[in-house]
Amino acid sequence: MLVAGNWKMHTDIDAARTLARDVADSVGDPGDVTVVVCPPFVSLSAVAEEIAGTPVALGAQNMHAEDAGAFTGEVSAPMLTSAGCRYVILGHSERRQYFGETDEGVCAKIAQAHAHGLIPIVCVGETLEERKGGRAEEVVGGQLVHSLRGVTPDNPDRLVIAYEPVWAIGTGETATPDQAQEMHAFIRGRLNEQFGEKTGRALHILYGGSVKPGNAAELFGRADVDGGLIGGASLKGEDFAAIVRAG
Ligand code: PGA
């Protein structure tokens, strides 16, 4: 199980420090659950200090596909590792929707993350329109094919997939456990085809989209749901810790 908090564009540096301490205290010993927090770039170093010596790991919310260069406003993989990151979220639907992120771009970033020892959390998911049109699997399948082209994780811990139906993100509307399991099983099938069953079975597939303390256990109880990518509920230490315990 892996539970990651995506703080999105919330918390200034002081608030991020406070939240990081709160998360570490509330989570305590997470047992077998890998716990990750992904604060905004400017707070990465501060959060790294706060969680040092705790089981909580650090992740970023995005990065550029090059090491360095004239890319104003961007942040690179070596910068993230120097700030203490082990994980990076790639291809979040908000990046795709508002910042023109494409599957091909995500693919390049995955290779770059791997080249620098970062573990990418690769997001896929369909919109409500696509689901209503019966195209959810086609859309998610396409995102997987194009984002993961040429990707060869040297072990299953080096790649995480997050299924986040766009219609469930920040809306309070969660996929039912059956809907989540159905899509996770489909994703697992695709991963098995690409990486072989041994690796496919071991890869973490997270569910994201309005996960809360009240619905986490039921979602995480499904066979192919290996944890969650948590937005809103990751901004309260106690709620996030409750979701970790559900894992
Ligand atoms: P949410 O966000 O939990 O607020 O729906 C999830 C995400 O976007 O990663």
Side-chain angles (χ1 to χ4, degrees), residues 14 28 40 46 53 73 87-88 93 96 99 116 121 151 157-158 161 168 172 178 181 191 211 241:
D14 283 346
Y87 292 83
V88 59
S93 66
R96 295 172 186 265
F99 303 99
H116 290 275
I121 301 175
V151 172
D157 292 339
R158 312 300 301 169
I161 305 295
D178 284 349
Q181 169 55 27
L191 298 175
V211 178

Side-chain angles (χ1 to χ4, degrees), residues 51-83:
I51 61 179
T54 78
V56 181
L58 189 64
Q61 300 174 16
N62 180 36
M63 61 170 217
H64 195 272
E66 302 284 332
D67 278 355
F71 301 107
T72 302
E74 290 293 315
V75 168
S76 72
M79 294 173 192
L80 297 184
T81 54
S82 75

Side-chain angles (χ1 to χ4, degrees), residues 81-244:
T81 54
S82 75
C85 289
R86 269 185 60 69
Y87 292 83
V88 59
I89 299 171
L90 296 178
H92 189 279
S93 66
E94 288 151 15
R95 300 288 324 163
R96 295 172 186 265
Q97 191 178 347
Y98 305 128
F99 303 99
E101 194 114 1
T102 62
D103 292 328
E104 290 68 25
V106 171
C107 187
K109 292 179 179 189
I110 295 171
Q112 175 73 349
H114 281 156
H116 290 275
L118 286 163
I119 302 172
I121 301 175
V122 180
C123 301
V124 295
E126 81 287 357
T127 64
L128 186 57
E129 207 185 7
E130 289 160 346
R131 176 160 283 261
K132 282 187 170 157
R135 298 180 49 230
E137 288 190 353
E138 177 194 327
V139 169
V140 170
Q143 290 171 335
L144 288 171
V145 167
H146 295 109
S147 308
L148 298 180
R149 181 160 288 153
V151 172
T152 47
D154 43 17
N155 82 57
D157 292 339
R158 312 300 301 169
L159 177 66
V160 178
I161 305 295
Y163 168 57
E164 299 204 300
V166 177
W167 46 273
I169 295 177
T171 59
E173 191 173 338
T174 317
T176 65
D178 284 349
Q179 283 173 321
Q181 169 55 27
E182 197 182 1
M183 185 60 86
H184 280 232
F186 168 78
I187 293 171
R188 181 87 61 202
R190 289 300 176 92
L191 298 175
N192 287 345
E193 279 169 28
Q194 177 163 356
F195 301 117
E197 278 206 23
K198 189 160 171 269
T199 301
R201 242 185 296 125
L203 287 168
H204 283 90
I205 307 174
L206 312 183
Y207 170 79
S210 300
V211 178
K212 300 182 263 305
N215 59 24
E218 213 190 338
L219 286 159
F220 296 169
R222 294 307 167 107
D224 290 297
V225 181
D226 307 314
L229 181 55
I230 320 299
S234 72
L235 296 171
K236 282 198 188 133
E238 200 28 69
D239 284 359
F240 186 63
I243 294 169
V244 171

